[in-house]
Amino acid sequence: MASLEELKAKVDIHDLAEKLGVRRQGNIAGGKGLYHSPNRDDKKASLSVFADGHRWKDFATDEGGTAIDFVMYVEGIADVGEAIRRVHELSGIPMDRPAAQEAPRERSRVEFIADRCLDQASRCADYLMERAIGESVIQHAILKKSLGYNDWASDKVAAGEPMHGGPAVAFIVRSLNPGHVAAVDMRYLDPALNGGIKTSCQGEKSGVFWTSDARRLAHASTVYVVESPINALSIETAFDAGERAGHVAAVATRGVSALEAIDWRFTRGKRVLVCMDHRDKLNAEGERPGLKAAWRLTEILVSIDVAALLVDQAGWEEGTDVNDFLKSEGAAELKIALGKLEPWLLPGMPADDTPGKRRIYLPWHDFTHYGRYRVRDDFTAFIDRYTTKEGEAGEEKVPQFSDLAGFRVASLSRVSIASEVAMMTGEKDLAPEVLFAVSVQTPRHGARLVRRVFQDEELHNVEKWKKLGPVFNQAAFLRMVNILERSAHLGARHAVNFVGLAWKDGELRVNEGTDCYFTDPEKQCPYHNLTFPSGTLQDGRAVIAAYQATFQRNAAAMLLAWALGAHLKTYLGRWPHFVLQADKGAGKSTLVKRLERSIGMTMFSGQSLQTEFRLLTSISNTTHPVGWEEISARRQDIIDKAVAMLQESYQYTPTRRGAEMTRYLLSAPVLLAGEDVPVRSLTGKLVRTELTGKKGPIMPEDLPRFPVRQWLTHLAGLKRAQVGAMAERMQAYCLEQCRATGADEGARRMVENYALVATAWRLLCDWLELDPKQGDFPRDLLAEMNAHIEETSGDRQPWVWIVETLLSEIAAGEFRFPFAWDEVEGRDCLLVRTAHVMDHLARTMQLREKWNASPVKSDRVFKRQLGQARAALLGPDGQVRDFERTLGEVHGLVDNRRRVAHMVALDLDRLAEFGVYAVRPGSTGDLYGRSPAPPNE
């Protein structure tokens, strides 16, 4: 099979148009004239093929694209794979099935039903035309395979009984991606044959909606939401002949009982107009079911920042739906009626005496003012006063409107924010925080709502509102806010201010930046507006293979596994940081940039990390990894603060900063990239890889993004015990292969960190259906682990850093406390008091930064660590021995000697095993002051 890029580059759309029978304007033999639309009767050709022959556009509908899009447009193909096969067939390009291609998907029962309905789709036209649906609309829906006809009748159930069946219009319901048939809805021509039942459904009954043309829906700027497919066709009939025909689409929810089950994110960026059957009859509770559903739908859409308004149906007859209005009034009148929108401050709550249950209760003093406010899409006005004029019925009151605000307040809702402990552990929330989410529609942002989060005392701060848009009358505006406070329970929700996997109401959820409610988003989370990349399992396998190939010994694949596994911190409570070291020209920057593209990660430059606050904001409220570039080039005080924050974010640490005590959660795993990363004190909380000398082929530019969204959804479906058990197995396996002894607790902690990366790799392979041994990843990870353990045997112990500093100070002549070089029990030793060492570090100005960064500040702990490492001589009881020495000299009659007790003897040979070497001042021999051997003669 040719790749998508090859098809786009090879196939000439003029040739496709000729083979598909698309009519060209005039009869220009071999020319490049315009084409008539294949989907409608147009007097003037509007479809143009660009000069290169590889792209096209229909200027009447703004649809266009490549050869694949052209075939989907002409033949009404919804599935991209089917369109690709059709292009291969038409162009004559052979389509060889790859050996590794997956087996064909087994077709479902509902798909066979849909095929049978599509075979006789033309038979549905008569019934629909009786319902005033336009013929061109019917034919277009048939072409797009969303409309059919079913004549099945049961031979076991008698006519007139429920479930008998009979002739019916079939509405084919498809998923948006990849376009598979999800259900077939039947609307019976004679319900009496089916026992009085008007409709039935085969397949999914909720969670998917019906639309006649998925491509038109994707390109539409305005979307009408109705209950039934025949109402959706009625709206298309109203707009069929107008200039906005290609910009308007309609979707049918197929009922009002499961609006929450539909994924409404496809409406983002579109203007949504709700036209439910809200003039239906009152039920026993005094509610109109359609109107109640419209209320709920507006709340759902506002929660995902979609602007939605209700069509004003106040003048419609009782019980009339869209199709009834079309039959009685005609398409032109319906189009006018669909353009009339409710002007009320709260959608679905008129300021009159309309019968039925109100959306909210407003006391008299609020209700009398409520009716003065009027809204349009992105503007708010209010009735300043009334004037009188003479009319046919005498004097009439005429409202005089004044401008109130240059935006529309779509919602003011109460939001309960989960505490850090609850969202990271799943435990019952004992300390939630209550905030208020305000969603407004502004001219500059079009149909996408702007969301801001207010604290309780900020709701009546006009200056805060003015950041959203102009407020022309502050007093009237604040009165409106006071009324909107009554609606704070509408759309009230629980939320977690965390990007990644988080516990919400006891369940693990995938939380994106748009799902959060930060009061100061730019500062509280680096991913406050992040939407995770999506894709297929094939995309994930391609990314894994590319990372394994680009650097030898899985150097880049380890980085990818670490980054994707970072979200397991929510399960495991910890995740290591990652050190990426490489010499100049080794490909470090290139790899980091590709990782940013592959998973949507952010790499912070060293210049953006110059203060403690910037470091804090870069790792807050997320488990999606971030990167710090060349942190070693910063000032020492910034390095020390960075290391301290990395210590805290290895697990998670809540904190509050600023005068407003804004909440931050230090939790993001950090990628530390550079030639020399100064994190000796973090050795037990990081993993690493080295790129130098391992460079391979560069990853292709058309490499897809990793399907992070699908990966996180998979992780959210796992059980905590399942992930914990796998982590324990990986840890046991890594401990068996570890070169360090079991007594080395520092090495054991490093093994645990590498075992976490191995756990992430195993889960990735299980999800992507890959062999865990692919590319020898486990072997290379263990090799890197053992090399890291061997090279950092000294770095893992704080006492090593202290002794190194001590020896440097002695060599420089700066250590002014008593010490002695001596041979003790046949071993070269340095005798010194541990208390003197710690005092020297604490009191010396030049060593102040090292003292502040040191995790050990007590001579008692320092002495204990020396004994545990056997760096100091021990007694029979296994404790560090104390020694006494007389130090000093006699000068004439002055005796400067003094007895120094409680000294420890540091074994110089043992120190050398940890990479710590001593130099005696003034010695000309080897490291321990011994004279060199005579040269061989």
Side-chain angles (χ1 to χ4, degrees):
M1 179 190 295
S3 69
L4 290 179
E5 296 302 323
E6 289 174 336
L7 281 181
K8 295 172 185 177
K10 289 182 179 180
V11 177
D12 186 275
I13 297 178
H14 288 291
D15 182 57
L16 283 181
E18 183 178 349
K19 292 179 178 178
L20 291 170
V22 180
R23 186 165 58 94
R24 180 179 292 181
Q25 185 178 22
N27 188 14
I28 309 174
K32 304 297 182 182
L34 297 175
Y35 292 86
H36 291 274
S37 172
N39 300 325
R40 65 181 186 279
D41 294 330
D42 52 356
K43 297 180 180 180
K44 185 177 180 181
S46 60
L47 194 154
S48 175
V49 178
F50 296 167
D52 61 0
H54 301 311
R55 297 192 68 83
W56 64 278
K57 183 175 182 180
D58 189 338
F59 288 93
T61 62
D62 280 340
E63 293 185 86
T66 64
I68 300 169
D69 301 303
F70 186 75
V71 171
M72 296 176 71
Y73 181 68
V74 174
E75 296 199 333
I77 299 174
D79 183 56
V80 176
E82 182 181 349
I84 293 174
R85 289 189 289 271
R86 182 63 171 147
V87 172
H88 275 278
E89 177 185 338
L90 292 169
S91 61
I93 298 176
M95 185 174 175
D96 298 325
R97 184 183 182 89
Q101 186 170 344
E102 297 180 354
R105 182 180 61 88
E106 184 178 353
R107 291 171 61 81
S108 64
R109 175 176 176 271
V110 72
E111 286 180 305
F112 285 109
I113 295 175
D115 287 344
R116 188 177 61 194
C117 295
L118 291 172
D119 289 341
Q120 47 186 346
S122 59
R123 297 177 60 185
C124 71
D126 292 340
Y127 172 79
L128 292 176
M129 290 175 67
E130 290 177 4
R131 303 293 303 179
I133 307 298
E135 183 177 4
S136 60
V137 172
I138 297 171
Q139 295 304 320
H140 181 77
I142 292 174
L143 181 65
K144 296 300 181 181
K145 298 184 178 180
S146 58
L147 196 58
Y149 182 85
N150 184 30
D151 59 358
W152 179 87
S154 174
D155 54 1
K156 298 180 180 179
V157 179
E161 296 293 329
M163 307 303 292
H164 170 73
V169 177
F171 298 96
I172 315 301
V173 181
R174 300 179 184 271
S175 62
L176 283 183
N177 188 10
H180 295 316
V181 175
V184 178
D185 289 348
M186 309 293 183
R187 186 182 180 101
Y188 293 100
L189 277 58
D190 186 2
L193 287 175
N194 195 41
I197 299 175
K198 185 188 297 184
T199 61
S200 68
C201 172
Q202 296 289 333
E204 296 290 339
K205 293 181 174 59
S206 65
V208 285
F209 56 86
W210 182 89
T211 186
S212 67
D213 185 352
R215 286 179 59 81
R216 177 165 60 190
L217 176 61
H219 291 90
S221 58
T222 300
V223 176
Y224 283 88
V225 180
V226 295
E227 291 185 34
S228 66
I230 201 166
N231 285 341
L233 291 175
S234 301
I235 291 176
E236 292 182 6
T237 300
F239 286 95
D240 183 42
E243 59 181 13
R244 298 190 60 211
H247 301 275
V248 176
V251 299
T253 61
R254 306 166 59 222
V256 297
S257 59
L259 296 176
E260 289 86 353
I262 297 176
D263 185 356
W264 292 98
R265 288 180 295 175
F266 73 92
T267 60
R268 282 177 173 166
K270 303 180 186 299
R271 180 176 182 243
V272 178
L273 303 177
V274 182
C275 191
M276 298 290 190
D277 301 340
H278 93 231
R279 296 298 294 176
D280 47 9
K281 296 181 180 180
L282 297 175
N283 59 19
E285 290 77 22
E287 298 174 335
R288 301 181 186 273
L291 179 57
K292 186 177 180 180
W295 297 344
R296 179 59 189 142
L297 181 56
T298 58
E299 295 172 8
I300 295 172
L301 294 174
V302 167
S303 70
I304 59 174
D305 301 330
V306 173
L309 288 171
L310 272 58
V311 173
D312 190 355
Q313 296 174 276
W316 295 25
E317 292 186 9
E318 190 79 11
T320 300
D321 63 10
V322 177
N323 185 248
D324 294 331
F325 193 101
L326 174 65
K327 284 188 65 178
S328 61
E329 305 295 334
E333 289 298 322
L334 175 60
K335 184 176 181 180
I336 295 173
L338 292 172
K340 294 180 179 179
L341 306 180
E342 281 194 353
W344 309 116
L345 188 60
L346 295 174
M349 184 171 166
D352 55 26
D353 57 354
T354 302
K357 187 176 181 179
R358 296 279 172 173
R359 189 175 184 186
I360 64 171
Y361 168 74
L362 288 178
W364 178 85
H365 62 276
D366 280 339
F367 189 76
T368 54
H369 284 272
Y370 172 78
R372 298 177 61 190
Y373 296 95
R374 298 288 191 274
V375 300
R376 293 188 284 276
D377 287 85
D378 48 24
F379 196 84
T380 307
F382 79 106
I383 300 175
D384 190 15
R385 65 187 185 280
Y386 289 91
T387 60
T388 59
K389 72 171 185 178
E390 290 296 330
E392 296 180 358
E395 288 189 351
E396 297 179 356
K397 285 188 176 182
V398 179
Q400 300 298 312
F401 288 92
S402 295
D403 296 341
L404 180 66
F407 54 87
R408 174 178 70 93
V409 181
S411 172
L412 191 158
S413 300
R414 188 183 304 112
V415 182
S416 177
I417 307 297
S419 65
E420 291 85 355
V421 173
M423 69 185 181
M424 293 300 292
T425 64
E427 297 178 359
K428 183 179 179 180
D429 196 353
L430 301 178
E433 181 182 18
V434 176
L435 301 173
F436 294 90
V438 173
S439 298
V440 303
Q441 186 176 1
T442 64
R444 62 186 180 275
H445 289 284
R448 193 175 185 93
L449 297 180
V450 177
R451 182 197 300 169
R452 293 292 183 269
V453 180
F454 287 56
Q455 294 182 350
D456 190 274
E457 66 275 9
E458 296 175 330
L459 275 178
H460 292 277
N461 185 342
V462 178
E463 298 305 317
K464 184 96 173 178
W465 287 95
K466 286 182 178 180
K467 294 180 180 179
L468 297 167
V471 176
F472 305 116
N473 188 321
Q474 296 188 19
F477 183 85
L478 290 177
R479 187 68 181 94
M480 181 190 74
V481 173
N482 187 226
I483 295 173
L484 287 173
E485 287 184 85
R486 303 278 185 186
S487 66
H489 63 285
L490 300 180
R493 62 202 78 121
H494 297 280
V496 290
N497 279 345
F498 194 82
V499 178
L501 285 181
W503 295 94
K504 180 180 178 182
D505 298 329
E507 296 182 1
L508 202 58
R509 305 285 183 87
V510 180
N511 222 51
E512 297 183 330
T514 53
D515 300 321
C516 300
Y517 294 84
F518 296 111
T519 55
D520 199 348
E522 287 79 7
K523 296 177 182 178
Q524 286 184 268
C525 181
Y527 298 120
H528 64 91
N529 56 356
L530 175 67
T531 299
F532 291 117
S534 294
T536 64
L537 295 183
Q538 290 82 352
D539 294 337
R541 298 185 193 111
V543 173
I544 293 287
Y547 274 78
Q548 286 192 299
T550 191
F551 280 92
Q552 300 171 13
R553 297 198 289 278
N554 285 285
M558 292 179 198
L559 174 60
L560 180 65
W562 166 84
L564 293 172
H567 297 278
L568 292 173
K569 175 184 278 192
T570 312
Y571 277 114
L572 304 171
R574 66 191 188 282
W575 195 258
H577 305 295
F578 197 98
V579 172
L580 181 65
Q581 295 193 159
D583 294 339
K584 291 291 185 183
K588 169 178 61 64
S589 298
T590 302
L591 176 60
V592 169
K593 290 299 180 185
R594 294 313 297 264
L595 183 66
E596 290 183 85
R597 292 167 55 182
S598 296
I599 67 171
M601 190 190 79
T602 296
M603 193 77 183
F604 292 94
S605 67
Q607 293 297 325
S608 64
L609 301 173
Q610 295 283 14
T611 66
E612 180 181 4
F613 185 70
R614 290 185 179 180
L615 290 167
L616 170 76
T617 58
S618 69
I619 60 173
S620 179
N621 294 302
T622 183
T623 49
H624 201 54
V626 301
W628 289 354
E629 184 74 41
E630 296 291 356
I631 193 67
S632 59
R634 304 306 104 200
R635 301 190 314 272
Q636 186 59 45
D637 62 320
I638 295 300
I639 294 176
D640 294 339
K641 292 172 181 176
V643 170
M645 289 190 183
L646 292 175
Q647 294 275 8
E648 295 179 349
S649 66
Y650 175 73
Q651 295 179 331
Y652 64 91
T653 305
T655 184
R656 290 177 180 266
R657 298 295 176 94
E660 298 179 353
M661 298 298 288
T662 305
R663 296 166 66 168
Y664 297 89
L665 179 67
L666 308 185
S667 57
V670 179
L671 166 62
L672 301 160
E675 296 180 48
D676 183 18
V677 182
V679 285
R680 293 178 63 185
S681 62
L682 282 175
T683 303
K685 295 183 178 179
L686 52 83
V687 294
R688 72 165 196 189
T689 191
E690 175 69 43
L691 300 182
T692 304
K694 301 178 182 178
K695 185 184 291 186
I698 297 177
M699 285 184 274
E701 284 297 323
D702 60 348
L703 185 69
R705 288 188 167 186
F706 191 89
V708 179
R709 173 80 192 190
Q710 287 73 19
W711 161 243
L712 295 183
T713 302
H714 168 73
L715 290 183
L718 301 178
K719 302 294 184 183
R720 176 178 283 175
Q722 177 184 356
V723 176
M726 180 170 289
E728 290 178 1
R729 290 197 301 271
M730 292 296 104
Q731 181 178 337
Y733 173 73
C734 291
L735 283 172
E736 290 177 0
Q737 307 299 322
C738 176
R739 67 184 304 160
T741 63
D744 191 341
E745 290 298 327
R748 185 182 184 88
R749 192 173 192 180
M750 295 177 67
V751 169
E752 292 177 0
N753 291 330
Y754 281 92
L756 295 179
V757 179
T759 303
W761 173 257
R762 184 57 184 265
L763 290 172
L764 276 170
C765 291
D766 291 347
W767 179 57
L768 296 173
E769 300 176 358
L770 297 174
D771 184 355
K773 297 181 180 179
Q774 174 176 302
D776 290 327
F777 184 93
R779 183 197 64 186
D780 293 335
L781 181 65
L782 290 173
E784 187 67 50
M785 177 189 75
N786 283 318
H788 194 188
I789 290 174
E790 179 183 17
E791 294 175 17
T792 58
S793 59
D795 292 346
R796 296 193 298 273
Q797 305 295 338
W799 69 264
V800 175
W801 318 332
I802 298 173
V803 172
E804 282 183 339
T805 304
L806 168 66
L807 295 177
S808 296
E809 291 292 290
I810 291 175
E814 299 292 338
F815 188 72
R816 306 192 184 282
F817 290 91
F819 69 93
W821 306 94
D822 200 358
E823 184 174 310
V824 181
E825 299 177 356
R827 306 186 69 84
D828 288 324
C829 295
L830 169 64
L831 287 87
V832 68
R833 271 190 183 179
T834 55
H836 290 166
V837 176
M838 304 308 289
D839 286 345
H840 179 76
L841 293 177
R843 298 176 183 177
T844 305
M845 185 61 64
Q846 294 85 345
L847 302 178
R848 173 58 61 180
E849 295 296 339
K850 289 189 176 183
W851 170 259
N852 292 337
S854 174
V856 174
K857 293 183 170 63
S858 164
D859 71 294
R860 176 179 52 82
V861 175
F862 175 43
K863 188 174 183 179
R864 186 181 72 240
Q865 290 187 354
L866 290 173
Q868 291 173 346
R870 292 182 293 110
L873 298 186
L874 306 179
D877 58 354
Q879 302 298 317
V880 177
R881 291 173 56 187
D882 284 348
F883 294 89
E884 291 187 6
R885 288 292 186 273
T886 300
L887 305 179
E889 299 178 353
V890 178
H891 296 282
L893 299 177
V894 180
D895 189 354
N896 289 327
R897 294 177 301 171
R898 51 182 172 170
R899 195 72 173 171
V900 181
H902 305 296
M903 303 178 79
V904 299
L906 303 182
D907 188 338
L908 300 184
D909 290 329
R910 179 62 177 168
L911 294 180
E913 295 178 11
F914 286 91
V916 181
Y917 303 97
V919 179
R920 294 188 181 186
S923 66
T924 57
D926 67 4
L927 292 177
Y928 305 123
R930 293 185 287 263
S931 300
N936 294 328
E937 297 182 357

